[in-house]
Amino acid sequence: MPAMAEELGIEVTASVGTQATTQDFSAPISQVLDTDPDLVSVLLVGAQNPTAMTQLRQAGYDGPVVGNSGASAGNLDPAGDDASGMVWAADFNFQMSAPSSQEFVKAYRDEYGEDPLNYAAEAYDAAWFLARALKDAGSADRESVKDSMHELAEEPFDGALGTDLRWEDQDLVVPGVVVEYRDGKEILLYEGTGEDSAE
């Protein structure tokens, strides 16, 4: 992220790495806040996010925070109000308006009684893509399925992750969303469309 920020003309005042097992972020937070940043980026996994956000707020920082999708799925809930203001990009959020996304959300809620996480949407689209490849191949032969997947990947499709999903260089390009944690919940700030999914 520091290299990307610099390319965009954003001055990186400090960059401090931590281990995946870190539980106390007070020292790295102090290092970062000593540089008086306008924005802090916290790129951690799961349960580390509420700890870092709580310690960041306790250290006196009340500005915006950029995170990643590891902050989603209720991971920030233990931080309460301290987590408000963290924003991140993701490939899916249950609040997406795309018809294919909402069909998936409804089916998931009907089956499990809760909102789906991005992992469920990703898995659904992957399984659906494989099922279509198997059907079109008319065989479980590895080469036939691989060829069928290659053919299917040439055309965009609508799925749980949004509309106009397409493959570029063997990666699935999705419209994406931007989410903010505010007042104890995830708020959808921006939803991409098929037209801007490659940007």
Side-chain angles (χ1 to χ4, degrees), residues 5-173:
E6 289 177 12
E7 284 179 22
L8 295 171
I10 299 169
E11 179 187 357
V12 177
T13 60
S15 180
V16 181
T18 60
Q19 299 294 320
T21 56
T22 301
Q23 296 180 13
D24 181 2
F25 298 95
S26 54
I29 286 171
S30 179
Q31 286 178 298
V32 170
L33 295 185
D34 281 348
T35 68
D36 194 28
D38 294 324
L39 174 130
V40 172
S41 181
V42 175
L43 304 176
L44 300 170
V45 295
Q48 290 182 307
N49 284 286
T51 303
M53 285 300 291
T54 298
Q55 291 177 347
L56 189 60
R57 299 308 189 200
Q58 287 172 345
Y61 180 77
D62 62 359
V65 179
V66 172
N68 62 26
S69 61
S72 64
N75 284 322
L76 285 174
D77 292 348
D81 290 340
D82 288 336
S84 285
M86 181 182 262
V87 176
W88 63 90
D91 59 1
F92 173 84
N93 182 277
F94 69 91
Q95 299 168 79
M96 292 172 65
S97 64
S100 56
S101 300
Q102 281 306 304
E103 286 176 27
F104 169 73
V105 170
K106 181 183 180 326
Y108 192 94
R109 284 177 178 158
D110 289 348
E111 181 68 26
Y112 301 106
E114 61 188 21
D115 293 322
L117 302 178
N118 57 313
Y119 309 112
E122 293 162 6
Y124 178 84
D125 281 351
W128 185 62
F129 186 76
L130 178 58
R132 286 182 18 206
L134 283 165
K135 180 181 177 188
D136 289 355
S139 165
D141 172 70
R142 184 176 193 267
E143 288 302 313
S144 297
V145 173
K146 186 178 86 169
D147 291 344
S148 178
M149 290 175 86
H150 187 325
E151 287 177 26
L152 284 171
E154 292 178 9
E155 295 296 323
F157 67 96
D158 296 346
L161 295 173
T163 58
D164 196 29
L165 306 178
R166 58 188 180 278
W167 295 91
E168 290 182 13
D169 298 324
Q170 298 185 2
D171 284 325
L172 184 62
V173 179

